Amino acid sequence: MPPIRLATAIFGTVLCAYVTTTGGSYGTDLASYEVTKGLVRNGSFAMSYNVLDTEAERGIDGRYYAPVGIGHPIFGVPFYAMSRFLQSMLPLQLGKPESVDKAAVVVGSTIAAALCAPAVFLFAWRVTGHVPGALIAALSLAFGTTLWPYSKFGFNAPLATACLLWSTYWTWRGVREGHRHLVVLGGTMLGCALLTRHEMTIGALPLAVWIASESRGHTRDTVGRLAAFGLPVGIAVAIWMSYNFARFGHPL
């Protein structure tokens, strides 16, 4: 089987395993969920109530905002919207109020977790050219780490991990293969990672150092690649700071 098709099969297999081993114990980050709900219902990032029962999240407009990145709530929007649509078409009451909506948002995190496995497989295969070894690496990540238990909770860790892995993969390919657009894609994925969890900004440092190291002796290539990678990351940082300023009156 060609590696690309095998990567797709790995994603499908891991996703099925994650979904079927949830044990009915789905849980979600209520703050992130409230933002997703607000975006779909009101077009607002504000939460409908003080979820964390603290005044630290009160914005300058008096409303409460989640202390999480906007990446995860935005990622959950299509899953929440689909849940609302299906429930409107099928008037069935399942479980407690909003339980179906919350489960739908958690499914998004499950998919994000499953997307980590093909990223590791493709990266390992590109680096080594060894399909069996790459397969072992991907399955080890999927079933031998905390990624598996995290896959059934609606937290932002799986999405941040997936974005960071794909960022590293695309950046590596872009530099090694001389494709500037892949470097841009790598920077964009890292930007998505830091919009999900702001500490993912740290990932920019080793990647930037590696880009410069790979391009040593070619100043034009170094500058061009760093710019291609850094521009989307810089845009993401600007979005974070603008969002903070709009909510709390201070960019930090």
Side-chain angles (χ1 to χ4, degrees):
M1 181 183 295
I4 302 300
R5 290 180 58 188
L6 184 54
T8 304
I10 290 171
F11 167 71
T13 301
V14 172
L15 180 61
C16 287
Y18 283 175
V19 170
T20 56
T21 57
T22 59
S25 57
Y26 267 150
T28 189
D29 180 341
L30 290 178
S32 182
Y33 168 78
E34 277 294 316
V35 178
T36 297
K37 182 173 72 174
L39 285 170
V40 175
R41 293 189 171 186
N42 307 314
S44 170
F45 284 98
M47 298 185 291
S48 61
Y49 69 103
N50 189 0
V51 175
L52 302 178
D53 194 26
T54 171
E55 289 301 301
E57 278 69 53
R58 185 190 289 273
I60 56 177
D61 60 358
R63 295 185 294 177
Y64 293 94
Y65 295 89
V68 296
I70 60 176
H72 187 230
I74 291 175
F75 182 76
V77 164
F79 300 97
Y80 182 90
M82 181 59 68
S83 171
R84 300 304 302 170
F85 173 74
L86 292 177
Q87 289 181 80
S88 68
M89 299 296 291
L90 304 170
L92 299 175
Q93 183 64 43
L94 300 175
K96 299 179 181 179
E98 296 191 68
S99 59
V100 175
D101 296 333
K102 291 177 180 178
V105 172
V106 174
V107 167
S109 291
T110 304
I111 292 174
L115 283 170
C116 294
V120 168
F121 170 77
L122 289 172
F123 195 10
W125 166 61
R126 293 278 183 180
V127 170
T128 67
H130 192 251
V131 171
L135 181 60
I136 292 173
L139 296 180
S140 296
L141 171 78
F143 302 116
T145 71
T146 54
L147 184 63
W148 194 355
Y150 259 102
S151 69
K152 61 183 177 182
F153 298 111
F155 301 136
N156 57 18
L159 179 60
T161 302
C163 290
L164 186 61
L165 286 170
W166 283 104
S167 170
T168 306
Y169 171 67
W170 290 121
T171 301
W172 183 88
R173 276 197 61 188
V175 173
R176 283 289 171 89
E177 298 175 11
H179 297 311
R180 192 68 56 84
H181 68 283
L182 294 183
V183 179
V184 174
L185 183 56
T188 301
M189 292 306 300
L190 184 62
C192 292
L194 72 89
L195 284 173
T196 302
R197 294 178 67 98
H198 67 272
E199 62 267 31
M200 292 295 103
T201 310
I202 297 172
L205 180 59
L207 285 172
V209 170
W210 182 81
I211 291 172
S213 176
E214 283 289 302
S215 309
R216 61 183 180 277
H218 303 279
T219 304
R220 186 174 180 179
D221 287 342
T222 301
V223 174
R225 289 168 176 173
L226 287 175
F229 174 78
L231 180 60
V233 175
I235 291 174
V237 171
I239 291 173
W240 245 122
M241 298 179 74
S242 300
Y243 181 59
N244 284 339
F245 184 81
R247 289 188 304 172
F248 301 111
H250 195 287
L252 301 180

